[in-house]
Amino acid sequence: MRIVFGADDENETTRAVLTALQERGEVEIVADDSWPDLGAGIGRAVVDGRADVGVVMCWTGTGTAIAANKVPGVRAALAWEPWIARNARLWNDANVLAMSLKCLAPDVAVEVTRAFLDETTPDPDEAAAIHRLDELP
């Protein structure tokens, strides 16, 4: 699995997530102190095919998710626990995971990341709804 990762700050949580990602596949690290540019850069890497999925982290996770979602073809999901991450992939075919680097403990962030990466195939029952996302203005 090819994964693109970026965080606008570094701490124990971001280091734990990066280690977990490196255990799962080839990781490209995007470095940018500007969370809007970071989120968009992660999104572009996924859409351009340099990575299968992206993981982006900022203080809340919200800003980088918004920025990533500005890139056509990105479906970034903000997740704070494994159930949200897993089902964002399953029901929404999310291709970018956004997380808070401030409010998630390292072990929880790693669990969220693993749940996101473990779910690789969208639910076929959601195919029409997922396709509809591409048709929205």
Side-chain angles (χ1 to χ4, degrees):
M1 177 177 284
R2 294 170 303 135
I3 306 161
V4 61
F5 171 77
D8 71 348
D9 201 353
E10 182 182 343
N11 64 13
E12 187 179 348
T13 300
T14 62
R15 288 188 294 274
V17 168
L18 180 56
T19 298
L21 293 174
Q22 290 169 330
E23 293 169 357
R24 296 295 295 264
E26 177 185 330
V27 179
E28 174 187 343
I29 298 171
V30 172
D32 202 316
D33 292 337
S34 164
W35 58 262
D37 294 329
L38 178 66
I42 296 290
R44 279 192 296 278
V46 171
V47 170
D48 292 348
R50 293 193 338 251
D52 302 308
V53 296
V55 177
V56 66
M57 301 179 78
C58 67
W59 281 32
T60 67
T62 305
T64 51
I66 292 169
N69 279 321
K70 293 286 189 175
V71 178
V74 170
R75 289 178 303 281
L78 176 61
W80 54 94
E81 60 93 34
W83 188 87
I84 298 293
R86 176 185 182 274
N87 290 308
R89 291 274 283 173
L90 184 64
W91 297 330
N92 310 121
D93 197 22
N95 52 12
V96 173
L97 170 64
M99 292 185 288
S100 168
L101 61 83
K102 287 291 188 184
C103 79
L104 291 180
D107 60 329
V108 174
V110 167
E111 283 183 53
V112 171
T113 301
R114 288 181 178 149
F116 185 80
L117 297 178
D118 286 347
E119 195 61 57
T120 59
T121 307
D123 181 345
D125 292 340
E126 293 298 319
I130 292 166
H131 178 71
R132 179 72 179 112
L133 292 173
D134 295 330
E135 298 170 345
L136 294 173

